[in-house]
Amino acid sequence: MQSKRKLILNKFLIDGGKNRLMSDRSEKYLINGEKDKWEVVIGLEVHAQVTSNSKLFSGSSTTFGAEPNTQVSLVDSAFPGMLPVINEYCVQQAVKTGLGLNAKINPYSVFDRKNYFYADLPQGYQISQYKNPIVGEGEITLDLPNGSKKVGIERLHLEQDAGKSIHDLDPSNTFVDLNRSGVALMEIVSKPDLRSPDEVNAYVKKLRSIMRYLGTCDGNMQEGSLRADVNVSVRKEGDTKLGTRCEIKNVNSIKFMQMAIIYESKRQVELLESGKSIDQETRLFDIKKNETRSMRSKEDAHDYRYFPDPDLLPLNLDKKLIEKIRKDLPELPDEKKERFIKEHSLTPYEANVLVSEKEISNYFEEVIKSSDKKLTKNWIMGDLFASLNEKNISISESPVTAKKMAELIDSISSGVISGRTAKEVFEIMKETGEDPKKIIESKGLQQKSDPKELEKIIDKILSDNKDKAEQYKSGKDKLFGFFVGQVMKESGGKANPQLVNEILKKKLK
Ligand code: ADP
Ligand code: MG
């Protein structure tokens, strides 16, 4: 249904180049309705697959991409009489994640059965946690362009994933693959603290980054390791009461989350402004049509007949275990950021970019420990990132390893090559991964830094251009550039520009 009224999103831009959605960050994200301005309220339920070799209640493998139904134990397929046995490692991973989110760890938690029927759920219920989750309230700090913002975490609980129904292999049959059945998930529920698609982007990225630093979820969205249910409501600007929310199920990319929010919030504003009300529903996002559609009216918790799973004892965590995990936590992005700012004199923005992924921060630290700070920062954030973008690869896939990057930077700071030549060398490195020293040698790119050799060239240029030299001496300062240019040309671009400047100045006095 196409609405005749036009809604304008305040300063909302679609950056087509990178296909990213962004808004003018200095302004509040509001929707201009026909009558009022509306604020968007968003809360996410992120399902993050726990990094673990085996499933939550069975020993089956969790390796991605295996042949269908080859990683299924009798427990995962709900063979009668089979009993689940909790995987202690998954529990530790959940605790670790909770600590990384500055959250309260609940020493006592309970596994419940969430009952529903679906072909890919052989048990007829999902083992989840309901009233007593393993992790309680916490928070995540978002680094936004106009400052930081804290987003509340409501809870984190452990649950099993279901299998997968495959509808598109055959026109009249649905296939079921149980490889995922029983894989451990952490459901991380945010408070309704998010206010724009940009904040959602920052939130998911930060959460993903924290879990990747911790090693508790690989965050691989293409493989379904991180999906979210996106809850959206709108309210008039200034209102304090929350509006009725719709929940958009199972969105598996940040871009789609943002598109779904934009569509859904506009839809809700249109309904409300035309005097209608919002039905609390579960909706799905249709990527092809860029719209959300109703799936079903929202079920309530009591519909699921939650009850404690009689096959599993409540979890009682040893305080010592929690403390041990806390003690062994790695340095997380927020702390690393502060340290980078202090140790390497970075701006908060630069630090944010460099800690955003563990691999990037490791790369940066490896290069900077032996190389010039400013050059390191500029080369990594400039040419290296551009090359990664261009090839759409991650830093760990870069042919230019940290070691080679450090060598390249060192050859600039030691004067072997100029910054300009370094760009040329880098162009080759990013394609072939070759050693910078080898490239410089084989192409004879070393700078001419021998004053005697440079003097010869300079003398030749000066005697070829006596008239100009006279003009310069009598005050035509602009000609200095001309001489530098000629010398560079004569040297095949290899003269050390600093030295050329010095010698020329002396000779033209
Ligand atoms: P359920 O499983 O019924 O969806 P949860 O409590 O697990 O309930 O999750 C609710 C999610 O919806 C949370 O992320 C919460 O922040 C969000 N939420 C709750 N109320 C609103 C609202 N009015 N608008 C937007 N999001 C909301
Ligand atoms: Mg929900």
Side-chain angles (χ1 to χ4, degrees):
M1 194 186 68
Q2 193 68 36
S3 157
K4 277 182 224 93
R5 269 181 290 132
K6 219 171 152 194
L7 298 170
I8 302 152
L9 293 169
N10 258 355
K11 303 260 181 171
F12 199 83
L13 307 166
I14 294 181
D15 175 354
K18 284 200 174 157
N19 228 353
R20 224 163 45 83
L21 302 160
M22 49 193 250
S23 62
D24 179 331
R25 291 130 199 285
S26 56
E27 275 191 46
K28 214 167 152 185
Y29 180 86
L30 292 171
I31 297 177
N32 282 330
E34 186 91 316
K35 300 171 188 150
D36 293 291
K37 287 193 171 172
W38 298 80
E39 182 181 45
V40 185
V41 175
I42 307 146
L44 294 189
E45 296 159 76
V46 169
H47 298 266
Q49 180 173 333
V50 177
T51 299
S52 158
N53 292 333
S54 49
K55 297 185 180 177
L56 185 54
F57 299 110
S58 83
S60 315
S61 165
T62 59
T63 310
F64 179 81
E67 281 291 300
N69 297 309
T70 55
Q71 301 184 152
V72 188
S73 73
L74 296 175
V75 174
D76 311 322
S77 53
F79 202 76
M82 299 310 294
L83 290 175
V85 177
I86 185 80
N87 178 341
E88 188 183 347
Y89 183 69
C90 293
V91 173
Q92 292 176 7
Q93 291 284 68
V95 171
K96 207 174 184 185
T97 308
L99 293 172
L101 301 176
N102 299 306
K104 185 173 168 286
I105 306 300
N106 295 324
Y108 174 85
S109 69
V110 176
F111 285 103
D112 296 286
R113 290 186 180 181
K114 180 180 183 181
N115 299 279
Y116 66 93
F117 171 79
Y118 206 74
D120 58 25
L121 187 77
Q123 288 170 149
Y125 57 85
Q126 175 193 33
I127 306 179
S128 180
Q129 297 189 303
Y130 178 50
K131 285 213 173 100
N132 297 288
I134 185 164
V135 177
E137 292 188 330
E139 65 183 21
I140 292 187
T141 305
L142 306 189
D143 307 292
L144 300 165
N146 45 3
S148 63
K149 163 171 175 158
K150 290 203 188 313
V151 173
I153 300 292
E154 181 73 44
R155 58 190 270 150
L156 175 157
H157 67 249
L158 275 168
E159 63 183 28
Q160 314 172 287
D161 205 350
K164 194 172 155 200
S165 301
I166 303 155
H167 303 291
D168 54 4
L169 275 185
D170 187 285
S172 53
N173 290 297
T174 288
F175 296 100
V176 175
D177 174 9
L178 293 181
N179 281 354
R180 289 196 80 97
S181 168
V183 164
L185 302 178
M186 297 180 277
E187 176 167 330
I188 302 160
V189 182
S190 85
K191 304 223 169 177
D193 287 348
L194 297 160
R195 292 290 176 274
S196 70
D198 265 348
E199 290 188 9
V200 167
N201 175 46
Y203 173 80
V204 177
K205 285 200 176 136
K206 189 65 176 278
L207 175 59
R208 181 175 180 272
S209 161
I210 292 171
M211 292 190 294
R212 285 170 55 89
Y213 268 78
L214 292 166
T216 56
C217 169
D218 67 22
N220 190 331
M221 299 185 89
Q222 275 111 15
E223 294 181 3
S225 297
L226 206 155
R227 292 116 61 190
D229 299 341
V230 184
N231 294 272
V232 180
S233 67
V234 296
R235 63 183 174 193
K236 281 185 196 163
E237 188 189 11
D239 272 5
T240 49
K241 215 170 137 267
L242 289 175
T244 305
R245 69 177 153 128
C246 285
E247 177 175 353
I248 307 153
K249 277 280 175 201
N250 219 10
V251 191
N252 65 359
S253 94
I254 295 178
K255 195 176 119 205
F256 294 152
M257 289 177 205
Q258 295 185 301
M259 287 163 70
I261 292 163
I262 293 167
Y263 177 88
E264 178 60 20
S265 51
K266 280 188 191 174
R267 186 188 73 90
Q268 292 185 12
V269 167
E270 287 182 5
L271 278 173
L272 292 171
E273 290 211 336
S274 59
K276 300 196 180 102
S277 60
I278 308 293
D279 293 329
Q280 185 168 332
E281 319 176 282
T282 301
R283 300 177 70 85
L284 60 80
F285 181 59
D286 183 329
I287 303 160
K288 288 196 191 108
K289 294 196 176 142
N290 184 16
E291 64 179 29
T292 65
R293 273 204 308 277
S294 179
M295 279 167 78
R296 53 178 189 251
S297 69
K298 170 97 181 115
E299 59 293 322
D300 282 316
H302 63 246
D303 296 327
Y304 287 115
R305 309 325 256 184
Y306 277 101
F307 65 88
D309 192 317
D311 288 343
L312 289 158
L313 290 169
L315 258 186
N316 283 299
L317 296 178
D318 187 349
K319 292 235 166 74
K320 276 194 208 127
L321 174 74
I322 302 174
E323 284 323 303
K324 175 160 188 332
I325 297 174
R326 191 193 302 277
K327 222 183 81 231
D328 293 344
L329 284 181
E331 184 182 39
L332 291 173
D334 290 339
E335 305 161 57
K336 201 175 279 260
K337 176 183 163 190
E338 290 313 312
R339 183 167 64 78
F340 275 14
I341 291 174
K342 272 195 216 116
E343 279 179 14
H344 307 307
S345 346
L346 300 179
T347 64
Y349 169 76
E350 292 164 343
N352 269 337
V353 173
L354 292 167
V355 305
S356 63
E357 279 178 44
K358 192 174 162 185
E359 291 74 14
I360 294 178
S361 71
N362 288 346
Y363 189 106
F364 173 73
E365 289 210 278
E366 198 181 328
V367 178
I368 207 163
K369 74 175 179 232
S370 63
S371 311
D372 178 84
K373 289 190 179 204
K374 200 160 165 221
L375 284 175
T376 299
K377 179 179 85 184
N378 291 344
W379 272 88
I380 292 181
M381 293 186 62
D383 299 72
L384 180 72
F385 280 5
S387 77
L388 300 180
N389 266 345
E390 181 192 308
K391 299 189 163 180
N392 202 10
I393 53 173
S394 71
I395 202 160
S396 24
E397 295 165 311
S398 171
V400 184
T401 60
K403 192 163 159 267
K404 287 174 186 159
M405 180 54 97
E407 274 174 24
L408 179 69
I409 291 173
D410 292 345
S411 50
I412 307 170
S413 24
S414 60
V416 175
I417 53 172
S418 66
R420 182 130 52 87
T421 307
K423 303 240 171 207
E424 228 178 281
V425 176
F426 183 80
E427 284 301 308
I428 302 171
M429 291 170 73
K430 77 176 193 198
E431 297 307 328
T432 63
E434 241 180 292
D435 213 80
K437 281 193 187 127
K438 277 199 193 129
I439 301 173
I440 295 167
E441 260 165 45
S442 70
K443 300 216 166 243
L445 293 172
Q446 293 93 331
Q447 258 184 161
K448 295 195 167 135
S449 295
D450 175 3
K452 290 223 174 82
E453 196 183 343
L454 290 181
E455 243 173 84
K456 250 193 226 159
I457 300 175
I458 289 170
D459 285 342
K460 176 175 182 295
I461 298 293
L462 289 181
S463 77
D464 285 356
N465 296 283
K466 282 202 181 99
D467 49 336
K468 291 215 168 67
E470 283 314 313
Q471 287 172 21
Y472 176 81
K473 283 181 191 161
S474 56
K476 215 170 166 194
D477 290 348
K478 275 188 197 151
L479 279 171
F480 194 76
F482 164 79
F483 289 113
V484 176
Q486 290 298 308
V487 176
M488 292 309 285
K489 202 166 146 198
E490 182 71 24
S491 71
K494 286 187 226 150
N496 179 329
Q498 230 173 321
L499 268 180
V500 172
N501 268 312
E502 277 169 31
I503 301 172
L504 260 176
K505 272 200 184 124
K506 253 187 253 158
K507 300 233 168 202
L508 281 169
K509 246 187 212 158

